[in-house]
Amino acid sequence: MIEVLSVTAEVYPLIKTGGLADVAGALPAALAQSGVTMRTLIPGYPAVMSRMTSGREVWSSEDLFGVPARLIAGRVEGLDLIVLDAPVLYDRPGNPYVGPEGWDWPDNWKRFAALSWVASELGLGLVEGYRPQIIHAHDWQAGLVAAYVKYGPSATLKTVMTVHNMAFQGTFGAEIFPQLRLPQHAFSVEGVEYYGGVGYLKAGVECADVVTTVSPSYAAEIRTPAFGMGLDGLLNNRSATVHGVLNGIDMDAWNPATDPALAQNYTASTIQQRGVNKRALQEAFGLEASNGPLFAVVSRLTWQKGIDLLAANIDQIVQAGGQLAVLGSGETELENAVRAAVMRHPGQVGLVTGYNEALSHLIQGGADVMVVPSRFEPCGLTQLYALRYGCIPLVSRVGGLNDTVIDANVAAMQADVATGVQFAPPDAHALGDAIRRTLALYADEKSWKKMQRRGMKSDVSWQASAARYAQLYASLIGVTTDDNPDH
Ligand code: ADP
Ligand code: GLC
């Protein structure tokens, strides 16, 4: 078996703000079938600590970046966790990154430097009987792992850096550098230095042995200035080590045949029973019972997600006899734009703010169309859940959305391969056209059902991608997955 330590700021089902949690939560089980043992290092936020009641302390210190800390190991929800319990850093309300008022915690640099430092020490044998061969770091919060390893004493420990979103880079002023426990020469272009300050994601992309991102299209896009957000040059320099590995989904947690959050379970052959979920969904969002197409959104309401493009098209949806249900929260302006549409179209447009995992499942099981009009999308998971649930994805043609949805153009419809609708460029006009196309497709009940069934049968599992990660790990430590003896 290959021993890998995954380092992440969130993991489903303990703590989640977005797709990173889903991926970090699903990867260990998916990899187990490919000869990889994965443990997960995560900060001890209140939501995590409350689940660690039966864990055991495996390390402690009075001075982790100036604060007391300990590591608790335990198994929760099938995950092998190592939790960094440092109350001064993590025992706080709010989500992993921001306080209750929505502002970034001012000591985020320290909270995640500490996490990354501990990860690299675990790689050096901090805890007796445990020594991972590879550390797999996710996003900027774990970006420094690769720097600690590169400037540390081990010649064999390897690192993988996965970029889930180039838009969040973790950049801080140069004044934090002396406190990072790195040698002075790490403050350089080959290390953590980034435009005169410290860049955590930059450090990871620069120093990791392998860099991955979450879809092949995004792997190509981030090598251009428009998507690279300042790191495109570096990614081009390292192009041989940059790989796009598509996310999969947890096929058990997201299974319409067994999902307890649905009003009615169903399969591809009983797809007409989705109607029961549609009614339940209409009720949950205060919508009238209607057989018109029900469009839905489950998303952070942010510029990235193109919610303004949708807001500009809501009247069109309603005028055509459609409805819209939006679950999400985020930027005030975008929330207000949706709220204004609810006021204009009572009973036809509904908004539920806040985070609601069960409702997100019901939406997948009851809505007709899942709208994902992102300006950029590293992978995107909601369109994958939609495919699995027979909800037709309507997506912009970017990143992982491009790689996972087959547009219902004439050729694809004739060849019986279409699974959704794509539009480009990501602007309100092109989305308007795509909505009109979707409405026309919906009107042809028979071919719509065929498209739903095709989606439900498309492979959105982790199988192929877990094998790809396993292959990357194996190549790093000089074995092939096939001659790995324990496999
Ligand atoms: P991102 O990570 O960029 O937000 P993804 O599509 O990869 O986008 O993942 C989003 C995840 O968060 C999905 O599991 C989606 O169902 C979930 N999600 C987003 N907003 C909400 C919400 N308001 N309530 C429940 N789940 C949500
Ligand atoms: C990020 C991206 C999203 C991706 C998720 C999991 O949050 O925005 O596209 O699906 O990470 O990789």
Side-chain angles (χ1 to χ4, degrees):
M1 295 296 266
I2 302 174
E3 190 77 44
V4 181
L5 176 66
S6 166
V7 186
T8 177
E10 37 186 290
V11 67
Y12 182 83
L14 283 83
I15 177 101
K16 165 169 166 178
T17 73
L20 167 62
D22 289 352
V23 171
L27 254 184
L31 284 164
Q33 286 146 34
S34 299
V36 176
T37 305
M38 178 171 273
R39 284 187 160 195
T40 305
L41 175 70
I42 175 127
Y45 318 111
V48 173
M49 290 312 294
S50 66
R51 304 294 299 275
M52 290 304 288
T53 42
S54 62
R56 71 196 161 88
E57 182 177 309
V58 292
W59 172 83
S60 72
S61 161
E62 279 312 304
D63 178 18
L64 174 67
F65 288 66
V67 306
R70 55 192 192 129
L71 288 173
I72 317 278
R75 229 180 134 73
V76 180
E77 303 266 5
L79 293 165
D80 246 323
L81 297 179
I82 304 177
V83 174
L84 178 54
D85 178 28
V88 179
L89 300 178
Y90 308 124
D91 186 10
R92 302 176 184 185
N95 84 14
Y97 321 112
V98 302
E101 311 300 325
W103 300 104
D104 284 356
W105 294 114
D107 58 349
N108 271 349
W109 69 268
K110 189 196 283 189
R111 300 171 72 229
F112 295 108
L115 180 74
S116 301
W117 184 85
V118 166
S120 68
E121 291 294 309
L122 281 165
L124 298 174
L126 183 68
V127 170
E128 209 187 306
Y130 178 61
R131 192 153 190 156
Q133 294 153 290
I134 293 165
I135 308 185
H136 188 156
H138 296 277
D139 273 354
W140 73 263
Q141 295 86 0
L144 286 187
V145 168
Y148 287 125
V149 172
K150 174 172 173 173
Y151 295 99
S154 172
T156 54
L157 185 57
K158 301 292 181 189
T159 50
V160 175
M161 175 79 231
T162 294
V163 179
H164 293 265
N165 196 333
M166 211 38 115
F168 304 106
Q169 299 197 353
T171 49
F172 303 97
E175 69 281 358
I176 69 160
F177 179 77
Q179 298 179 69
L180 290 181
R181 300 184 168 180
L182 282 163
Q184 186 56 43
H185 64 280
F187 193 73
S188 62
V189 276
E190 296 83 36
V192 305
E193 191 271 335
Y194 190 46
Y195 293 112
V198 176
Y200 283 26
L201 187 66
K202 183 266 176 177
V205 170
E206 174 77 45
C207 301
D209 296 299
V210 160
V211 176
T212 75
T213 186
V214 287
S215 72
S217 284
Y218 195 59
E221 288 167 354
I222 55 178
R223 290 171 58 182
T224 67
F227 291 90
M229 305 199 170
L231 287 176
D232 39 296
L234 171 55
L235 286 158
N236 278 313
N237 288 341
R238 303 211 62 202
S239 60
T241 54
V242 179
H243 306 267
V245 184
L246 200 61
N247 288 335
I249 69 169
D250 181 328
M251 299 289 276
D252 297 325
W254 294 89
N255 180 357
T258 57
D259 192 332
L262 299 187
Q264 171 72 54
N265 292 114
Y266 60 92
T267 64
S269 46
T270 58
I271 207 162
Q272 68 287 355
Q273 294 182 356
R274 292 182 89 256
V276 179
N277 296 318
K278 184 166 173 176
R279 295 285 169 274
L281 185 53
Q282 285 166 330
E283 232 164 73
F285 279 82
L287 304 179
E288 287 168 13
S290 149
N291 289 327
L294 175 50
F295 292 74
V297 169
V298 180
S299 181
R300 296 184 282 122
L301 303 183
T302 63
W303 185 84
Q304 173 194 342
K305 301 292 180 178
I307 301 302
D308 52 321
L309 314 184
L310 177 62
N313 279 290
I314 297 179
D315 293 352
Q316 189 207 154
I317 291 176
V318 176
Q319 273 148 23
Q323 296 180 317
L324 175 68
V326 178
L327 169 62
S329 42
E331 293 162 17
T332 314
E333 255 176 61
L334 296 173
E335 271 187 41
N336 286 343
V338 178
R339 214 166 266 133
V342 175
M343 305 292 277
R344 283 200 305 279
H345 307 289
Q348 307 304 329
V349 179
L351 167 68
V352 174
T353 53
Y355 187 86
N356 189 329
E357 188 75 23
L359 189 55
S360 77
H361 285 240
L362 181 63
I363 292 174
Q364 297 287 7
D368 297 299
V369 183
M370 178 59 54
V371 194
V372 194
S374 307
R375 287 190 166 83
F376 65 93
E377 195 60 72
C379 180
L381 296 175
T382 50
Q383 85 280 10
L384 299 180
Y385 299 137
L387 288 169
R388 172 101 165 125
Y389 279 64
C391 180
I392 299 296
L394 162 48
V395 306
S396 54
R397 191 176 301 135
V398 294
L401 302 174
N402 181 38
D403 295 338
T404 54
V405 175
I406 301 172
D407 178 61
N409 54 45
V410 176
M413 286 306 271
Q414 277 170 0
D416 273 342
V417 294
T419 56
V421 176
Q422 289 190 338
F423 68 95
D427 63 29
H429 182 78
L431 174 57
D433 287 344
I435 289 171
R436 281 187 285 281
R437 258 196 322 130
T438 308
L439 291 166
L441 288 162
Y442 184 80
D444 181 349
E445 209 176 309
K446 210 167 138 213
S447 75
W448 182 266
K449 275 218 171 67
K450 264 173 88 178
M451 188 154 75
Q452 287 178 296
R453 289 208 178 93
R454 241 179 346 252
M456 291 184 78
K457 286 179 180 149
S458 62
D459 183 9
V460 290
S461 78
W462 267 108
Q463 207 172 0
S465 295
R468 180 75 186 115
Y469 277 121
Q471 221 177 39
L472 287 172
Y473 298 148
S475 69
L476 276 178
I477 56 172
V479 297
T480 65
T481 27
D482 288 334
D483 67 19
N484 175 16
D486 292 330
H487 182 210

